[in-house]
Amino acid sequence: MTEKVSITIDGKTTELPVLKASEGRSVVDVRGLIAEGIFTFDPGFLSTASCDSKVTYIDGDAGILLYRGYPIEQLANQSNHLEVCYLLLNDELPSQSQYDSFESSIKSQQTVDPNFQNIFNGFTQGAHPMSMVSAAVAGLASLFHEETDITNADDRMQTAHRLIAKIPTLAAMAYKHGRGEAFVEPNDDLTYAENFLNMCFGTAGEDPNVSPTIAKAMDRIFLLHADHEQNASTSTVRMAGSTDCNPYAAISAGICALWGPAHGGANEAVLLMLNEIGDESRVEEYVNKAKDKNDSFKLMGFGHRVYKNFDPRATVMQESCHAVLVEQGVEDDALLKVAQRLEKIAREDDYFIERKLYPNIDFYSGITLKAVGIPTELFTVIFTLGRMPGWITHWNEMLSAPYKIARPRQLYLGESSRDYVSISDR
Ligand code: CMC
């Protein structure tokens, strides 16, 4: 029998069904309230499930993250990013032949139209790469608009392959443009992560020379960021996609949402903060600033909307981070020492313990990327590459079943109707 809850407003009682989850919390189905003329109020969607989904499960209290049921720790240690892309898109892990054919589909679509260089040329050299990447991804709509039928499952999967294949190329073009350097063409002989690194840090016309340690760390960063259920950028992709807009436009909207320092921009913000602190001796001063109610400063890379125990991605990333620091021989780097001191103080301080503010994945990915010499402005772009399969999987999931245009309501607190007064009488 379906469990129900009743609510009584103005003496009228309405029964609402409770929908059972396969894992985690059940939700109260409030859809029937509109017929009663009632809306719910939930700014920031803290209590609202905006959709049903089979892609990713998070238990924030227990620190669990599953992609299609597989624990993130197992995937990080035994899989690779492309296999995880396949898993997210197709629901199941691939057989060897399915993996090979997926990989060759991705590799065969890595190049972009040569005219695309002009998109980047329109930006000043100092432009942030996230601005260029969001524009370039929206620009893909111009190339593939006619041939993308969003009601056709094969077209949607084709779009997914195309975006996963082309995002590293567009990201590297943005980076090279910012540096005033010649673009390095994609190389099919390299892995997904190696190819991205070569396009960014290689030299046009020269043989690739990518460090296996850095490529491994990069692949792990992509994989750990691949999906995170209905976060701000994924919800943005779903919301934009619910208007039936071109998928490249919906993904571009998600990239813009990711850019903010409260979301994907946090890894870059971590490094900017470490630079600002500058020295171990100033860590306590900044911890105090973060605790001060009259100061808007927050410790970047700490806290999470969902994880209130620990972020399982941060645990995996912390291992990689420490391994990379040792391998690169940079444990004595001044900024990394600031990071380690910050981590220690925050983990022991009551303010952070009481509020369950732990270092999140961006804290460790920011430090790892810094340790392997990745320029700070590329950090959020790297998150973008990682999150691409998640965004496109959620978009595809939404379009594969009946859906409605996303159109939240509001609690209006403004003026009641009043008459216009001409400017001379005000
Ligand atoms: N430093 C200091 N205090 C903090 C921090 C922080 N990083 N994060 C939260 N708090 C305090 C906050 O001021 C509040 O204090 P009080 O209860 O006294 O008012 C309390 O902790 C609860 O915070 P909240 O704002 O209700 O938490 P939230 O769930 O709305 O926000 C967050 C989560 C991630 C936006 C926030 O913790 C934050 O801004 N962190 C820093 C930015 C960051 O690292 N973001 C990356 C998140 S992981 C990547 C991703 O998945 O996108």
Side-chain angles (χ1 to χ4, degrees):
M1 211 179 72
T2 318
E3 204 182 327
K4 294 197 167 155
V5 296
S6 328
I7 60 163
T8 304
I9 298 178
D10 292 338
K12 188 169 179 217
T13 300
T14 308
E15 288 211 316
L16 301 170
V18 175
L19 306 178
K20 291 269 172 235
S22 59
E23 285 286 345
R25 293 184 196 179
S26 303
V27 299
V28 180
D29 182 352
V30 297
R31 283 174 293 182
L33 287 178
I34 179 85
E36 309 294 335
I38 298 167
F39 301 149
T40 55
F41 183 59
D42 185 21
F45 307 119
L46 274 83
S47 307
T48 296
S50 61
C51 61
D52 56 64
S53 179
K54 293 181 176 159
V55 183
T56 289
Y57 173 68
I58 300 174
D59 181 335
D61 296 324
I64 290 171
L65 168 61
L66 311 176
Y67 293 166
R68 299 284 189 193
Y70 294 101
I72 192 68
E73 297 83 354
Q74 290 182 22
L75 293 169
N77 289 323
Q78 296 172 53
S79 183
N80 65 53
H81 181 62
L82 269 195
E83 186 176 59
V84 163
C85 290
Y86 183 99
L87 170 68
L88 290 170
L89 287 171
N90 297 285
D91 211 351
E92 295 295 340
L93 285 167
S95 65
Q96 187 63 54
S97 69
Q98 285 168 328
Y99 179 82
D100 293 345
S101 114
F102 179 64
E103 188 183 34
S104 73
S105 164
I106 298 301
K107 288 192 168 180
S108 68
Q109 301 185 68
Q110 290 177 141
T111 53
V112 296
D113 189 292
N115 284 325
F116 255 55
Q117 187 61 52
N118 294 325
I119 294 190
F120 298 99
N121 292 342
F123 284 85
T124 55
Q125 242 189 35
H128 196 288
M130 284 298 278
S131 155
M132 294 189 250
V133 169
S134 57
V137 169
L140 287 176
S142 67
L143 297 179
F144 303 111
H145 191 70
E146 295 307 323
E147 59 186 81
T148 309
D149 174 1
I150 61 168
T151 65
N152 180 306
D154 292 339
D155 274 19
R156 291 200 299 272
M157 195 52 83
Q158 170 58 35
T159 301
H161 285 212
R162 207 179 263 146
L163 273 163
I164 291 167
K166 294 190 193 308
I167 189 66
T169 315
L170 295 175
M173 287 174 94
Y175 177 67
K176 286 292 199 192
H177 175 75
R179 311 279 293 191
E181 291 174 11
F183 173 57
V184 177
E185 291 292 332
N187 184 329
D188 297 0
D189 295 332
L190 301 176
T191 65
Y192 192 76
E194 286 170 346
N195 177 49
F196 171 63
L197 289 165
N198 186 49
M199 288 190 294
C200 286
F201 307 113
T203 306
E206 286 185 12
D207 283 344
N209 181 19
V210 179
S211 145
T213 311
I214 301 181
K216 196 167 165 229
M218 189 60 65
D219 192 77
R220 193 173 238 207
I221 288 174
F222 291 157
L223 182 155
L224 291 174
H225 285 93
D227 192 41
H228 214 229
E229 52 116 307
Q230 313 309 324
N231 55 83
S233 57
T234 303
S235 297
T236 302
V237 170
R238 280 187 180 256
M239 189 171 227
S242 78
T243 69
D244 292 345
C245 70
N246 184 288
Y248 302 98
I251 296 290
S252 175
I255 294 173
C256 294
L258 184 78
W259 194 356
H263 190 11
N267 52 16
E268 183 176 343
V270 167
L271 254 286
L272 298 176
M273 177 189 74
L274 294 179
N275 272 313
E276 191 185 320
I277 299 176
D279 189 81
E280 268 187 279
S281 61
R282 299 186 64 205
V283 168
E284 233 162 312
E285 177 194 331
Y286 276 81
V287 169
N288 288 336
K289 259 166 85 65
K291 289 157 57 175
D292 183 354
K293 280 273 144 257
N294 299 316
D295 194 324
S296 60
F297 174 77
K298 280 190 176 176
L299 281 190
M300 287 295 127
F302 284 79
H304 200 274
R305 167 57 62 80
V306 180
Y307 296 117
K308 300 298 178 193
N309 182 343
F310 64 94
D311 177 345
R313 304 166 304 167
T315 310
V316 176
M317 201 62 236
Q318 185 188 25
E319 283 166 27
S320 282
C321 179
H322 288 164
V324 165
L325 296 193
V326 172
E327 236 174 286
Q328 298 289 107
V330 290
E331 301 119 291
D332 289 334
D333 180 280
L335 283 199
L336 299 173
K337 286 203 144 169
V338 171
Q340 281 162 353
R341 177 112 185 96
L342 197 60
E343 179 190 2
K344 188 168 181 309
I345 294 190
R347 278 182 182 276
E348 290 167 357
D349 190 295
D350 282 348
Y351 173 94
F352 293 90
I353 296 169
E354 278 160 16
R355 288 169 180 74
K356 304 186 173 174
L357 300 170
Y358 301 88
N360 56 46
I361 182 169
D362 288 319
F363 185 74
Y364 295 109
S365 65
I367 300 169
T368 309
L369 291 169
K370 146 89 180 137
V372 297
I374 305 286
T376 313
E377 74 266 22
L378 258 189
F379 287 12
T380 312
V381 172
I382 287 166
F383 195 154
T384 304
L385 259 73
R387 187 53 55 86
M388 186 57 76
W391 287 329
I392 200 69
T393 299
H394 281 275
W395 170 80
N396 188 34
E397 181 178 66
M398 181 180 72
L399 267 74
S400 304
Y403 60 97
K404 291 206 175 293
I405 183 171
R407 178 41 173 106
R409 300 293 183 143
Q410 64 171 6
L411 170 66
Y412 179 68
L413 296 175
E415 298 287 346
S416 298
S417 177
R418 50 182 172 167
D419 291 326
Y420 179 81
V421 179
S422 71
I423 197 160
S424 57
D425 295 334
R426 277 176 235 158

